Amino acid sequence: MNTGQMIITMAAMILLSTVILSVNKNALNTTSSMTENKYQILGISLGTALIEEAFSKSFDAYTALNPITGEAEQADNLSDLTNYYSLGPSNLEKKRRNFNDFDDYNGFVDSASNASVDSLSSEMRNNDIAAIFKVESKVYYVDPSTDNKLKKVNYRTWHKRMDVLVTSRYLGDGLDTIKLSKIYSYFFY
């Protein structure tokens, strides 16, 4: 092999190495992006599940089903509703499964992992890498007639807003927070 052939062979080896490194870098970036998207979807699912669970409850403790009579009251006046500073679970609603109305989720904090999204279950699959998610919710009254941004007001209205925040160290290196909001309005006819 002469010097010219040796230089061409070395150039081909350098070119081949560059192509292999580029392909590997792209494969790692794709895998990283897919993993991050997976955790974002899990976080959004946890937040959405909490909102849907809260929406399955009554608007207010006053309008919730009475466990003894099985009937619910109809709120005719704003004064029938829970006061804005009392939003949250009552003393009898210490656990999530005992929540009977929407505002019981005010101040609710829970954690879940992708291996076991049921916080009541302490079992995890062996050798699973689990992302831990922290789920927090806030419920407050909003007044759409005074503010287009639907910010918190310190009086009773027929509209309650729930903000759910989902955080994890797996979401954007722990810097991202998923925030979901939904408004629950009370109407009677």
Side-chain angles (χ1 to χ4, degrees):
M1 196 180 286
N2 64 24
T3 307
Q5 291 173 329
M6 192 67 133
I7 291 174
I8 290 174
T9 303
M10 288 183 65
M13 294 301 287
I14 290 171
L15 183 63
L16 180 64
S17 299
T18 304
V19 169
I20 289 173
L21 286 175
S22 177
V23 168
N24 282 341
K25 181 180 174 185
N26 287 338
L28 287 173
N29 285 341
T30 302
T31 302
S32 174
S33 179
M34 287 174 49
T35 304
E36 190 169 317
N37 287 338
K38 172 188 161 190
Y39 291 124
Q40 288 174 347
I41 290 170
L42 283 170
I44 290 170
S45 296
L46 289 170
T48 303
L50 186 65
I51 288 174
E52 294 299 324
E53 179 184 313
F55 265 69
S56 70
K57 311 291 179 170
S58 296
F59 178 76
D60 193 80
Y62 186 79
T63 62
L65 287 177
N66 184 324
I68 298 171
T69 63
E71 296 179 8
E73 295 286 331
Q74 178 178 315
D76 296 323
N77 300 308
L78 288 174
S79 60
D80 293 339
L81 302 178
T82 304
N83 207 337
Y84 68 92
Y85 57 79
S86 299
L87 295 176
S90 68
N91 292 336
L92 300 174
E93 301 165 326
K94 300 237 184 248
K95 296 184 177 181
R96 181 175 169 182
R97 64 177 170 243
N98 296 334
F99 291 176
N100 66 348
D101 65 286
F102 184 70
D103 63 62
D104 289 344
Y105 291 86
N106 185 35
F108 177 76
V109 178
D110 198 7
S111 64
S113 70
N114 66 332
S116 172
V117 293
D118 183 5
S119 63
L120 299 176
S121 172
S122 60
E123 294 180 19
M124 290 186 52
R125 290 175 268 167
N126 292 334
N127 301 323
D128 270 353
I129 297 173
I132 305 296
F133 294 91
K134 181 179 178 185
V135 182
E136 300 175 78
S137 65
K138 298 175 186 170
V139 178
Y140 47 88
Y141 287 106
V142 294
D143 190 353
S145 64
T146 60
D147 184 9
N148 288 338
K149 295 181 181 176
L150 298 171
K151 293 182 180 176
K152 178 181 179 180
V153 294
N154 291 332
Y155 49 89
R156 298 173 192 152
T157 68
W158 299 112
H159 313 280
K160 292 178 183 174
R161 178 176 172 167
M162 179 180 201
D163 292 335
V164 176
L165 305 173
V166 181
T167 56
S168 173
R169 67 184 181 117
Y170 293 93
L171 296 172
D173 295 328
L175 302 175
D176 285 346
T177 300
I178 296 171
K179 181 177 179 183
L180 304 168
S181 297
K182 197 161 184 177
I183 295 175
Y184 193 177
S185 299
Y186 181 76
F187 296 98
F188 56 92
Y189 303 98

